């Protein structure tokens, strides 16, 4: 079994996920548990080697890593083999994989509401991928071993995670605040994208307003991603005002798909005194 893949793992978490900083500098990342074990009498020593010494700020992490692996007593009666934790017998099955995926979130996510939307399918698909934390933000690229500086392309400060980029970054947050201030609603930003989508309550009343409101989180997420790509690949950067304009322009464009009983979206909003 791969040393960083399974055995010695904390519950279902692999060592490489529990200690990414240690894994990054491990000299041999594909080595098996058996290859690293040195057995002398009753004692087991771990022959883990690194490409460099730990930095001052990494000492605690390395200490925690070694404490963990020395707290585990490998079973020496049985040969090393692959073991799938979610099933009792350790054998992989698609059913158990599906179950383990669907149990990762405790909230009831309204997937149907996300997909039953009149926004372009590519934007829904992107938002759905973001909710699973799988879009290519810098932290996800680094997990794929791309050597890349971990900073947010918008604020150029914090590390770029999905939730930071799409919710908490100051540039993104300004868009969320703008939307909520226009409808005069107080709001508290949830921690994750999936929480935000799950808690996005629909207003009562006019169906067309509901449809527009359903588009808003997807539209913000889509525009932020567009801005990131423009900054990264086109070297173009919008000001906060220009980003706000992009959001409302995109929203108006998407709203064409909604039937406003013959009115255009501006006339419709005007008829409700919402502009
Ligand atoms: Zn940022």
């Amino acid at each position: 079994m791969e040393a960083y893949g399974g055995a010695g793992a904390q519950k279902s978490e692999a060592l490489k996920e529990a200690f990414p900083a240690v894994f990054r500098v491990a000299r041999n990342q594909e080595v098996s548990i058996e290859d690293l074990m040195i057995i002398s009498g009753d004692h087991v020593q771990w022959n883990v080697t690194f490409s460099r010494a730990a930095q001052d700020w990494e000492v605690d992490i390395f200490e925690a890593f070694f404490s963990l692996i020395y707290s585990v007593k490998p079973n020496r009666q049985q040969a090393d083999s692959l073991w799938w934790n979610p099933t009792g017998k350790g054998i992989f099955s698609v059913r158990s994989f599906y179950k383990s995926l669907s149990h990762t979130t405790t909230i009831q996510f309204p997937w149907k509401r996300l997909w039953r939307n009149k926004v372009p399918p590519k934007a829904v698909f992107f938002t759905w991928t973001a909710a699973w934390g799988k879009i290519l933000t810098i932290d996800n690229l680094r997990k794929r071993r791309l050597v890349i500086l971990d900073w947010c392309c918008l604020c150029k400060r914090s590390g770029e995670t999905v939730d930071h980029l799409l919710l908490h970054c100051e540039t993104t947050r300004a868009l969320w605040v703008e939307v909520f201030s226009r409808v005069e609603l107080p709001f508290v930003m949830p921690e994750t994208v999936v929480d935000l989508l799950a808690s996005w309550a629909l207003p009562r009343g006019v169906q067309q307003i509901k449809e527009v409101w359903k588009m808003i989180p997807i539209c913000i997420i889509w525009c932020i991603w567009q801005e990131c790509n423009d900054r990264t690949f086109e070297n173009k950067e919008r000001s906060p005002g220009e980003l706000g304009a992009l959001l409302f322009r995109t929203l108006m464009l998407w709203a064409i798909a909604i039937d406003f009983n013959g009115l255009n979206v501006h006339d419709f909003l005007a008829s409700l005194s919402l502009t």
Side-chain angles (χ1 to χ4, degrees):
M1 184 180 293
E2 274 184 76
Y4 304 98
Q10 278 176 308
K11 294 180 182 163
S12 61
E13 196 177 20
L15 283 175
K16 67 179 176 187
E17 279 144 25
F19 301 96
V22 176
F23 178 68
R24 267 199 297 275
V25 295
R27 201 176 281 281
N28 190 346
Q29 297 179 335
E30 305 295 332
V31 73
S32 73
I33 291 276
E34 201 170 19
D35 294 336
L36 292 182
M37 274 196 320
I38 301 172
I39 299 167
S40 61
D42 270 356
H43 298 287
V44 174
Q45 275 204 330
W46 295 102
N47 184 28
V48 186
T49 54
F50 301 101
S51 55
R52 63 164 172 78
Q55 308 284 3
D56 289 353
W57 59 86
E58 295 172 326
V59 170
D60 288 349
I61 300 164
F62 275 73
E63 199 182 309
F65 170 75
F66 280 108
S67 303
L68 176 67
I69 61 172
Y70 274 97
S71 71
V72 176
K73 260 206 160 156
N75 178 356
R76 290 161 54 197
Q77 315 299 320
Q78 227 176 337
D80 212 3
S81 63
L82 284 171
W83 185 271
W84 175 248
N85 266 346
T87 55
K89 292 179 180 168
I91 299 163
F92 177 82
S93 71
V94 173
R95 187 190 173 91
S96 65
F97 182 50
Y98 179 81
K99 265 191 178 173
S100 65
L101 276 182
S102 53
H103 286 165
T104 51
T105 174
T106 52
I107 54 173
Q108 286 294 313
F109 190 83
W111 296 113
K112 279 184 190 162
R113 195 200 294 168
L114 179 66
W115 287 101
R116 275 190 207 139
N117 209 311
K118 294 192 187 317
V119 309
K122 62 184 178 184
V124 181
F125 183 76
F126 176 78
T127 305
W128 179 78
T129 314
W132 284 110
K134 301 292 184 195
I135 58 170
L136 294 180
T137 43
I138 289 180
D139 65 326
N140 283 338
L141 289 171
R142 283 166 66 102
K143 281 179 200 160
R144 296 178 180 200
R145 301 193 195 165
L146 232 77
V147 180
I148 192 166
L149 205 63
D150 188 15
W151 74 342
C152 166
C153 71
L154 298 181
C155 66
K156 300 175 180 66
R157 281 206 294 270
S158 311
E160 189 184 281
T161 63
V162 176
D163 297 324
H164 170 84
L165 187 73
L166 301 177
L167 305 183
H168 306 293
C169 179
E170 60 192 43
T171 309
T172 315
R173 206 177 164 80
L175 286 185
W176 293 106
V177 170
E178 167 79 7
V179 165
F180 280 96
S181 63
R182 284 207 181 203
V183 291
E184 296 179 355
L185 272 179
F187 88 108
V188 176
M189 181 59 81
E191 202 174 324
T192 64
V193 171
V194 81
D195 287 341
L196 174 103
L197 296 172
S199 60
W200 193 260
L202 295 183
R204 289 171 192 275
V206 187
Q207 183 59 31
Q208 287 95 334
I209 293 288
K210 275 189 199 168
E211 290 295 338
V212 175
W213 189 247
K214 272 202 302 193
M215 290 178 167
I216 288 175
I218 304 172
C219 196
I220 293 181
I221 287 171
W222 183 249
C223 289
I224 287 295
W225 190 244
Q226 196 177 320
E227 176 65 8
C228 271
N229 284 326
D230 285 348
R231 289 190 187 197
T232 307
F233 301 113
E234 308 286 337
N235 210 16
K236 277 193 320 200
E237 186 170 326
R238 289 178 184 83
S239 66
E242 288 168 333
L243 199 52
L246 171 72
L247 170 67
F248 286 98
R249 212 170 43 243
T250 310
L251 191 61
M252 289 301 119
L253 208 62
W254 289 0
I256 291 172
I258 300 170
D259 181 4
F260 290 101
N261 296 328
L263 298 171
N264 68 35
V265 61
H266 294 282
D267 295 340
F268 174 76
L269 293 175
S271 73
L272 296 169
S273 310
L274 287 175
T275 51

